[in-house]
């Protein structure tokens, strides 16, 4: 049932939103957090399991070193202090997605603390988000509810469980409460999650595919009367896994909280579920600040001990931060704000960078990847880079164009033949005889033929109506199957008719 909501504008006029995000990042390590089972998405259910992932009695966990290194790198990228010693604990709860009946998590002693992240909003405003901590933990298995509507547990007749994901390494990044975003709170939510996604992707520690749940956000929202300092009661919308949904969920919760407060009622502290179909949240479970998870230190694992040499080695391996890289590339390429934003939104940054590195100009690289190649990718319903066009192909096509061998139109045809596996652009132009005809002898003959075929037009041109030459150019282009150099054809027409261009 839908709840009452206030308009967003009115809500923001009366209340200041406070936000807090808990983002879970699934790492792309070869094996799981505490055992040797493969960390693979999409395999047959319950094939990537060991006694440890199944929580069988007597099975002993062991910490995945690569996961620890990933956590340290992420901590460093977020400007955090890396703990000398951090600890795993058992967070006890009973639910069928966890065969151990507890989650192993760094609840009390996170590996990374006290960082911050500069988040860039659409108009270039920088908003600094403070990071409270980033800690390591493990994912739960996946439940599939059968027999109900939309796969929900309500109304289901049975449930299936897949433990392939149980024990997959996670890093949870928790922000401090974020105040002052005002009407930009939904936009900030989206930009924050996008920034985290970009960082983990640039670090290479996660596949960062939100549609697969590699990056999931719990969005905490509360409102306080404008100008107040004491935070209101928060709701926590769980596992929102697209940027668009994060923005919408925060916006919706602001509107819902505002309606409750306007009625003079109290917001319930609880988890909420986001429904992309109705674009609403629904109540989950009540949640106090001190849920009784009966945390206690994991007796089967020693603390994670770091040292400065190790940390500094990992720091030296960090890539350029994504936001800095974007600023640098935008400057180097000379794109307008809008052009650059389109490139980023199309996830074409990497491939354009590769194409420029391979020798294309930034303008040419953009023209191809955002134009013809994007069009074909859309048609084929695949990602830009999944089409099979290599940066080298773009460079080769552009070289042929700038040498005057082919024009843009022919180049687009050549691309088609490249995709059909006919060879490199140069080979195709040669084999198919596609080179532009700029040999004056052949062109003059075609011009004379066209003039003879259209005597009325020819007369007009002779009388000084040079714009009439367009029809003859068209005729010649047709006769040469588009391979003529149009500018040269025009010059020849005018010369034949004895008029100045
Ligand atoms: P829990 O696991 O109980 O949700 P966490 O500490 O892991 O608690 O995360 C709570 C998140 O909510 C943090 O990002 C925190 O900054 C944020 N938060 C805390 N209080 C509020 C509040 N009143 N309004 C909005 N966000 C809040
Ligand atoms: Mg939490």
């Amino acid at each position: 049932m839908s709840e009452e909501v206030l308009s967003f504008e009115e809500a923001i006029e009366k209340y200041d939103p406070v936000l807090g995000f808990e983002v879970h990042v699934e790492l792309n390590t070869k094996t799981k957090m505490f055992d040797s089972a493969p960390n693979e998405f999409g395999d047959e259910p319950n094939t990537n399991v060991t006694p440890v992932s199944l929580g069988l009695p007597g099975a002993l966990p062991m910490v995945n070193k690569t996961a620890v290194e990933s956590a340290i790198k992420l901590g460093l990228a977020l400007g955090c202090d890396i703990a000398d010693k951090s600890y795993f604990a058992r967070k006890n709860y009973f639910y069928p997605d966890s065969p151990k009946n507890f989650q192993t998590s760094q609840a009390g002693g996170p590996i990374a603390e006290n960082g911050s992240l500069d988040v860039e909003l659409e108009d270039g405003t920088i908003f600094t988000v403070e990071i409270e901590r980033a800690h390591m933990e493990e994912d739960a298995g996946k439940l599939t509810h059968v027999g109900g509507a939309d796969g929900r547990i309500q109304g289901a007749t049975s449930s299936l469980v897949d433990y392939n994901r149980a024990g997959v390494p996670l890093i949870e990044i928790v922000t401090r409460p974020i105040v002052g975003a005002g009407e930009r709170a939904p936009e900030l939510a989206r930009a924050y999650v996008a920034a985290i996604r970009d960082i983990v992707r640039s670090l290479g520690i996660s596949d960062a595919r939100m549609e697969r749940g590699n990056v999931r956000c719990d969005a905490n929202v509360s409102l306080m009367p404008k100008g107040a300092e004491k935070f209101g009661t928060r709701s926590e919308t769980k596992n929102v896994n697209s940027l668009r949904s994060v923005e919408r969920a925060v916006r919706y919760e602001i509107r819902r909280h505002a309606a409750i407060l306007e009625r003079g009622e109290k917001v319930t502290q609880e988890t909420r579920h986001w429904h992309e179909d109705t674009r609403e949240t629904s109540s989950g479970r009540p949640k106090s600040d001190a849920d009784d998870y009966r945390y206690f230190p994991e007796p089967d694992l020693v603390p994670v001990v770091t040292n400065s040499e190790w940390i500094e080695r990992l720091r030296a391996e960090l890539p350029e931060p994504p936001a800095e890289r974007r600023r640098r590339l935008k400057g180097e390429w000379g794109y307008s704000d809008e052009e650059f934003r389109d490139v980023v939104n199309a996830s074409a940054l990497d491939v354009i960078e590769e194409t420029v590195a391979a020798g294309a100009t930034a303008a040419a690289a953009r023209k191809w990847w955002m134009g013809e190649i994007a069009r074909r990718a859309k048609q084929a319903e695949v990602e830009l880079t999944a089409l099979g066009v290599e940066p080298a192909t773009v460079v080769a096509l552009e070289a042929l164009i700038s040498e005057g061998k082919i024009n843009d139109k022919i180049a687009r045809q050549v691309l088609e033949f490249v995709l059909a596996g006919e060879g490199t652009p140069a080979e195709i132009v040669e084999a198919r005889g596609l080179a532009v005809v700029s040999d004056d002898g052949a062109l003059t003959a075609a011009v004379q033929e066209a003039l003879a075929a259209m005597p009325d037009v020819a007369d007009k041109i002779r009388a000084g109506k040079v714009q009439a030459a367009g029809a003859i150019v068209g005729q010649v282009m047709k006769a040469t199957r588009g391979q003529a150099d149009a500018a040269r054809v025009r010059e020849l027409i005018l010369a034949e008719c004895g008029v100045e261009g």
Side-chain angles (χ1 to χ4, degrees):
M1 203 189 70
S2 294
E3 287 184 45
E4 192 193 330
V5 293
L6 210 64
S7 82
F8 182 74
E9 291 68 28
E10 201 180 338
I12 288 300
E13 210 177 275
K14 294 186 168 152
Y15 300 97
D16 282 329
V18 176
L19 307 175
F21 302 108
E22 299 157 74
V23 173
H24 287 90
V25 176
E26 257 182 13
L27 301 181
N28 59 1
T29 49
K30 287 203 182 66
T31 56
K32 292 186 181 177
M33 188 69 222
F34 303 112
D35 67 291
S36 60
N39 170 19
E40 232 5 284
F41 180 87
D43 284 353
E44 271 295 297
N46 299 309
T47 53
N48 298 335
V49 290
T50 66
V52 175
S53 358
L54 293 176
L56 298 183
L60 287 173
M62 212 168 84
V63 175
N64 182 328
K65 185 177 175 193
T66 309
V68 174
E69 296 205 330
S70 300
I72 295 175
K73 283 188 198 168
L74 179 56
L76 292 173
L78 295 172
C80 292
D81 303 325
I82 305 300
D84 299 336
K85 256 186 180 184
S86 58
Y87 305 86
F88 286 101
R90 293 188 179 186
K91 179 178 179 178
N92 295 281
Y93 70 96
F94 177 76
Y95 203 64
D97 63 3
S98 166
K100 299 194 297 188
N101 293 339
F102 60 84
Q103 180 192 32
T104 310
S105 169
Q106 290 194 308
I111 188 151
E113 275 183 298
N114 297 327
S116 73
L117 177 61
D118 283 347
V119 177
E120 194 172 340
L121 301 181
E122 279 243 353
D123 67 355
T125 311
I126 304 283
F127 201 104
T128 302
V129 172
E130 292 189 18
I131 307 293
E132 180 186 300
R133 65 177 195 269
H135 65 257
M136 293 183 277
E137 54 185 39
E138 58 180 333
D139 214 342
K142 186 173 182 294
L143 292 173
T144 305
H145 305 292
V146 189
D150 329 319
R152 290 198 201 139
I153 192 167
Q154 291 85 358
T157 50
S158 62
S159 297
L160 302 169
V161 62
D162 174 9
Y163 289 128
N164 283 354
R165 201 179 62 188
V168 164
L170 291 181
I171 300 176
E172 177 175 343
I173 306 155
V174 184
T175 68
R176 291 192 196 288
I178 302 166
V179 287
E183 62 176 355
R184 309 197 72 172
E187 185 192 349
L188 175 64
R190 178 196 184 100
Y192 171 74
V193 178
I196 295 284
R197 179 201 58 186
D198 290 349
I199 285 177
V200 299
R201 189 178 281 162
S202 78
L203 292 171
I205 62 174
S206 170
D207 293 344
R209 292 178 63 167
M210 295 191 71
E211 75 282 6
R212 287 191 176 178
N214 295 152
V215 177
R216 318 191 284 261
C217 176
D218 299 346
N220 293 269
V221 174
S222 69
L223 296 185
M224 51 189 182
K226 242 196 152 83
E229 279 175 11
K230 190 172 177 298
F231 298 166
T233 305
R234 67 184 162 115
S235 62
E236 179 181 349
T237 307
K238 303 291 285 181
N239 289 326
V240 193
N241 68 348
S242 83
L243 296 179
R244 198 176 53 192
S245 301
V246 170
E247 179 166 1
R248 286 178 177 159
V250 166
R251 192 180 169 90
Y252 178 85
E253 281 297 286
I254 289 174
R255 298 179 60 193
R256 190 180 66 84
H257 282 222
I260 296 171
L261 298 173
E262 284 298 289
R263 291 197 301 270
E265 294 169 16
K266 280 189 175 148
V267 173
T268 313
Q269 184 162 334
E270 62 181 356
T271 65
R272 310 273 305 175
H273 302 292
W274 172 247
H275 307 285
E276 185 59 44
D277 48 354
T278 54
R279 298 192 192 166
E280 289 173 359
T281 61
S282 65
S283 180
R285 62 184 164 90
K287 184 172 176 179
S288 76
D289 276 322
D291 276 329
D292 189 9
Y293 287 120
R294 293 171 292 120
Y295 286 105
F296 65 85
E298 166 58 66
D300 291 336
L301 289 171
V302 292
V304 175
V305 179
T306 62
N307 60 58
S308 56
E309 198 187 323
W310 190 20
I311 293 170
E312 290 317 311
R313 181 171 63 70
L314 293 171
R315 194 194 301 277
E317 285 174 18
L318 294 184
E320 183 182 18
E324 258 171 54
R325 171 172 172 245
R326 280 199 296 272
R327 271 193 288 284
R328 174 176 62 78
L329 290 177
K330 181 166 180 288
E332 284 174 14
W333 295 346
Y335 293 174
S336 71
D337 291 350
E338 198 186 339
E339 286 169 348
F340 195 76
R341 193 169 58 231
D342 288 347
V343 166
V344 171
N345 289 342
S347 305
L349 212 58
D350 291 347
V351 80
I352 290 183
E353 188 181 30
E354 284 168 39
T355 307
V356 171
T361 64
R366 192 181 71 82
K367 177 188 80 181
W368 280 99
W369 289 106
M370 298 302 290
E372 182 65 9
I373 303 172
R375 192 183 64 78
R376 284 175 182 276
K378 198 170 162 206
Q379 230 169 37
E381 293 180 21
V382 295
E383 305 238 335
L384 210 50
T385 47
L387 201 63
V389 181
E390 298 294 327
T393 304
V394 172
V395 175
L397 287 169
E398 273 302 305
L400 290 167
I401 295 172
S402 58
E403 286 162 18
K405 285 227 175 76
I406 57 174
N407 56 28
D408 272 336
K409 186 160 166 249
I410 302 279
R412 289 195 290 272
Q413 279 176 21
V414 173
L415 178 67
E416 171 143 20
F417 299 133
V418 171
L419 288 172
E422 291 190 18
T424 67
E427 285 163 4
I428 292 164
V429 167
E430 177 69 33
R432 286 185 166 262
L434 290 172
V436 163
V437 182
S438 50
D439 154 30
D440 278 0
L443 285 182
T444 305
V447 165
Q448 285 167 348
E449 218 169 281
L451 286 168
M454 304 168 92
D456 302 357
V457 183
D459 285 344
K460 277 190 195 154
I461 303 172
R462 288 193 191 99
K465 282 202 158 179
V466 291
Q467 62 274 34
I472 306 292
V473 174
Q475 183 65 27
V476 173
M477 294 307 282
K478 217 154 122 193
T480 56
R481 296 190 335 235
Q483 281 168 254
D485 175 348
R488 184 67 193 139
V489 170
R490 195 183 152 81
E491 286 168 10
L492 290 174
I493 294 168
L494 299 182
E496 280 292 315
C497 295
V499 290
E500 295 280 312

